[in-house]
């Protein structure tokens, strides 16, 4: 099965690459060793091989929205580095099983995994490329390519890769407090930068009544400029015109019963900030917009100390419960930043990001061991999970398909780290069923909501209250159960999570649900008005609409039956007692 002819492709005559192959538990591990004749920045090198193109249906990696297998001259790539993505890519078979899954032990260096169809030979060309972006100089380097061709469900192959990263490669994830796994009210889509302390407190009172346990105050608290962009980032002083006294505001929110997370764009220093002149010699070249902002270079101790000091002061003085640390993926080496500077205490950008994140984590957990740290796509890999306990889907306002598919992708690759939806929002003039679909499609994540509750129609409020209550009732099944999914090549047609004898299934199109647990909840997250179930004979069922009202009940009398269920409704199937 693993009798490959490996080809080593190296651009530099200074570089020598060797391979050592071992098979363990039917998985191939290829140890890659690079040696250079002198201490220089490595040029890209890659390992290439081919597998049969039979029974190949689609490509999966943690970001893909188009799963088609492209020709090898236009590969599908899993691009990764410490602050973005992860080195994992998979070809899936027609039955949803794994055809070939490829991953790398080193998730920090810039790398990519590529897979494409060779039209001359009808084979899949696989390639693992290392040092795809410049890094620090080195003479030696080693990593392992993990190649899995077992005929197992695609998600099990991914789960085992994640366990390999955690147990064998040393990427242990951060502790996740229970508060990271409760519904949150995020103010970005509902307020954008137009923040106002009185309006925030009003929203907190209303959202708390509906079951949201944390509020995330986003961009705008630090500036009275509401034109978007990041020209006023970097000082991180409170705009009192909007927020008043931050400590007093946080105290008021705590009295309401909610925790408070505050947003920061970690790297950005705007041209209109007071700190611009002080840090203008500490920016990463070509890292921002010269008319708006630049990104700081964490390889300088002065930068890391400043950022850590800002966060430590904020958490200490304002009694914050967490930070939303944004734009970590904007730390990128380009231009003059590739040149050596003796004033840096790190020459490696990856090592400097590690140091920055480790310093932040150490400072903040010393203040509060349950501190909440949110990262979002694309910085969601095994390395960054060591420093944050919440991973959020990237911005996709109103996009049900993107939100649900990326949630499932993140759930498969994130171990026990809390996976959050992008903030759900909808047009308040839409039907309550369509509004409920936004929630129904994110149930396998911690829901973040970004709607002004006071402006919602009453039936939307009732729907939101019911869905949050339903989610809380089943949250251990939804978050802690084993998540499985069907049809990855189509961004999933159905997903389910099972814990003990209870399952929650979400259907995203018109398909059949096989009832396997004593208690099964089916969420109609599709636009269809019925669900087909099988193997539930003699079980009792209850159908609720999206506001939690019972609209039908009875006993299943046939092995296959179609049960009417309104869009975004819920079907509960249980064994007779």
């Amino acid at each position: 099965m693993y009798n490959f002819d490996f080809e080593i492709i190296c651009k530099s005559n200074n570089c020598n690459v060797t391979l050592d192959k071992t098979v363990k538990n039917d998985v191939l591990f290829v140890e890659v060793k690079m040696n250079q004749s002198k201490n220089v920045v490595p040029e890209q090198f890659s390992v290439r091989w081919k597998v049969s193109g039979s029974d190949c249906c689609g490509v999966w990696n943690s970001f893909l929205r188009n799963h088609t297998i492209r020709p090898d001259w236009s590969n599908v790539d899993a691009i990764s580095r410490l602050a973005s993505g992860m080195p994992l890519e998979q070809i899936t078979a027609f039955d949803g099983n794994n055809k070939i899954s490829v991953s790398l032990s080193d998730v920090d260096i810039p790398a990519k995994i590529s897979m494409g169809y060779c039209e001359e030979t009808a084979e899949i060309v696989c390639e693992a490329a290392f040092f795809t972006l410049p890094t620090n100089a080195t003479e030696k380097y080693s990593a392992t390519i993990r190649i899995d061709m077992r005929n197992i469900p695609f998600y099990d192959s991914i789960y085992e890769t994640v366990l390999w990263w955690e147990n064998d490669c040393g990427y242990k994830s951060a502790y996740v407090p229970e508060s990271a796994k409760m519904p949150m009210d995020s103010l970005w889509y509902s307020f954008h930068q137009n923040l106002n302390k009185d309006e925030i407190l009003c929203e907190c009172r209303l959202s708390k009544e509906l079951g949201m346990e944390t509020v995330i105050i986003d961009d705008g608290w630090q500036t009275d400029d509401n034109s978007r962009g990041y020209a006023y980032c970097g000082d991180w002083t409170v705009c009192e015109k909007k927020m008043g006294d931050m400590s007093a505001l946080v105290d008021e929110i705590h009295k309401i019963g909610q925790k408070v997370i505050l947003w920061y764009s970690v790297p950005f220093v705007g041209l209109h900030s007071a700190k611009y002149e002080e840090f203008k010699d500490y920016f990463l070249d070509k890292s921002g917009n010269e008319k708006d902002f630049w990104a700081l270079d964490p390889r300088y101790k002065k930068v890391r100390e400043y950022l850590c000091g800002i966060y430590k002061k904020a958490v200490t003085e304002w009694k914050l419960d967490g930070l939303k640390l944004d734009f970590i993926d904007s730390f990128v080496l380009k231009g003059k930043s590739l040149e050596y500077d003796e004033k840096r205490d790190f020459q490696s950008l990856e090592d400097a990001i590690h140091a920055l994140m480790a310093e932040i984590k150490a400072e903040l957990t010393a203040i509060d061991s349950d501190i909440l740290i949110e990262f979002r796509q694309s910085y969601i890999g095994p390395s960054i999970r060591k420093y944050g306990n919440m991973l959020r889907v990237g911005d996709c306002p109103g996009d049900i398909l993107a939100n649900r598919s990326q949630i499932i992708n993140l759930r498969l690759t994130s171990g026990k780290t809390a996976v959050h939806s992008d903030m759900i929002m909808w047009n308040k003039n839409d039907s309550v069923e369509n509004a409920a679909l936004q929630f129904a499609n994110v149930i396998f994540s911690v829901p973040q909501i970004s709607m002004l509750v006071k402006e919602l129609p009453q039936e939307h409020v009732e729907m939101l209250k019911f869905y949050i209550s339903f989610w809380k009732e089943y949250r251990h099944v939804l978050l802690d159960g084993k998540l499985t999914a069907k049809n990855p090549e189509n961004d999933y047609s159905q997903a389910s999570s099972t814990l003990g004898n209870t399952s929650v299934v979400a259907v995203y199109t018109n398909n059949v649900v096989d009832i396997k647990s004593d208690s099964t909840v089916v969420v109609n997250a599709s636009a269809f008005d019925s669900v087909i179930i099988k193997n539930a004979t003699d079980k009792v069922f209850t159908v609720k609409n999206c506001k939690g009202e019972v609209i039908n009940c009875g006993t299943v009398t046939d092995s296959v039956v179609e049960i009417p269920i309104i869009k975004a409704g819920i079907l509960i199937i249980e064994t007779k007692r």
Side-chain angles (χ1 to χ4, degrees), residues 204-260:
C204 288
R205 293 186 188 97
L206 294 173
S207 63
K208 172 62 178 178
E209 290 177 3
L210 295 180
M212 297 177 232
E213 305 299 340
T214 296
V215 63
I216 302 175
I217 302 174
D218 215 292
D219 185 7
W221 65 267
Q222 79 289 355
T223 177
D224 60 5
D225 179 83
N226 292 334
S227 60
R228 307 279 282 270
Y230 306 102
Y232 295 88
C233 289
D235 297 333
W236 305 114
T237 55
V238 179
C239 175
E240 294 185 2
K241 179 181 176 181
K242 292 180 177 179
M243 311 299 292
D245 181 274
M246 182 65 81
S247 181
L249 176 61
V250 172
D251 185 55
E252 286 297 313
I253 296 173
H254 282 163
K255 289 178 181 177
I256 292 170
Q258 286 186 323
K259 295 184 179 296
V260 183

Side-chain angles (χ1 to χ4, degrees), residues 487-541:
N487 301 108
E489 72 282 359
N490 289 322
D491 279 333
Y492 311 112
S493 61
Q494 183 181 128
S496 64
S497 188
T498 301
L499 185 66
N501 293 321
T502 301
S503 298
V504 177
V505 182
V507 292
Y508 305 123
T509 186
N510 194 8
N511 53 35
V512 177
V513 179
D514 190 358
I515 305 301
K516 298 179 180 180
S517 300
D518 291 342
S519 176
T520 301
V521 179
V522 180
V523 178
N524 184 15
S526 76
F528 295 94
D529 57 5
S530 66
V531 173
I532 299 171
I533 61 172
K534 68 177 184 178
N535 297 325
T537 306
D538 293 331
K539 291 181 181 290
V540 295
F541 70 89

Side-chain angles (χ1 to χ4, degrees), residues 403-424:
N403 218 351
R404 77 155 186 251
S405 62
Q406 294 303 323
I407 284 166
I408 295 173
N409 290 349
L410 281 177
R411 281 289 309 276
L412 296 178
T413 59
S414 299
K416 295 186 181 301
T417 305
V419 171
H420 285 234
S421 70
D422 183 37
M423 300 80 74
I424 59 172

Side-chain angles (χ1 to χ4, degrees), residues 91-140:
I91 297 287
T92 56
F94 287 101
D95 61 1
N97 279 0
N98 170 58
K99 175 70 177 181
I100 179 170
S101 175
V102 180
S103 52
L104 306 180
S105 62
D106 186 350
V107 304
D108 293 342
I109 69 154
K112 70 177 179 180
I113 298 171
S114 305
M115 294 183 179
Y117 197 85
C118 178
E119 58 191 78
E120 287 83 4
T121 64
E123 293 176 299
I124 299 294
V125 179
C126 307
E127 184 171 347
F130 301 82
F131 299 103
T132 54
L133 294 172
T135 62
N136 60 310
T138 186
E139 289 187 38
K140 295 183 178 181

Side-chain angles (χ1 to χ4, degrees), residues 331-450:
F331 289 128
V332 180
L333 286 183
K334 296 178 182 178
K336 293 183 179 180
S337 294
L338 294 168
E339 300 173 5
Y340 179 83
D341 186 350
E342 62 180 7
K343 296 193 298 293
R344 303 185 192 113
D345 59 339
F346 287 97
Q347 295 303 321
S348 163
L349 181 61
E350 288 74 28
D351 290 346
I353 297 172
H354 267 306
L356 173 63
M357 293 294 107
E359 290 165 22
I360 292 171
K361 180 181 178 183
E363 293 282 7
L364 298 186
T365 53
I367 301 169
D368 180 0
S369 60
D370 284 348
I371 195 78
L372 300 169
I373 300 294
E374 182 195 280
F375 296 132
R376 66 167 171 85
Q377 291 175 319
S378 64
Y379 31 100
I380 42 76
S383 242
I384 213 69
R385 285 175 51 219
K386 295 195 293 186
Y387 309 116
N389 43 40
M390 297 163 50
L391 298 179
R392 179 175 67 79
V393 170
D395 294 12
C396 54
D399 189 338
I400 286 176
L401 180 58
N403 218 351
R404 77 155 186 251
S405 62
Q406 294 303 323
I407 284 166
I408 295 173
N409 290 349
L410 281 177
R411 281 289 309 276
L412 296 178
T413 59
S414 299
K416 295 186 181 301
T417 305
V419 171
H420 285 234
S421 70
D422 183 37
M423 300 80 74
I424 59 172
M425 62 167 294
W426 58 88
N427 189 308
K428 63 185 179 183
N429 296 316
D430 208 342
S431 70
V432 67
E433 292 82 12
N434 284 346
L437 282 178
Q438 293 288 340
F439 205 123
N441 276 269
V442 304
I443 60 170
F444 297 110
S445 69
V446 180
Q448 290 191 17
I449 296 100
S450 195

Side-chain angles (χ1 to χ4, degrees), residues 542-561:
T542 303
V543 178
K544 297 181 179 181
N545 64 17
C546 64
K547 294 186 288 184
E549 299 165 337
V550 176
I551 57 176
N552 192 13
C553 60
T555 300
V556 179
T557 57
D558 295 313
S559 59
V560 178
V561 62

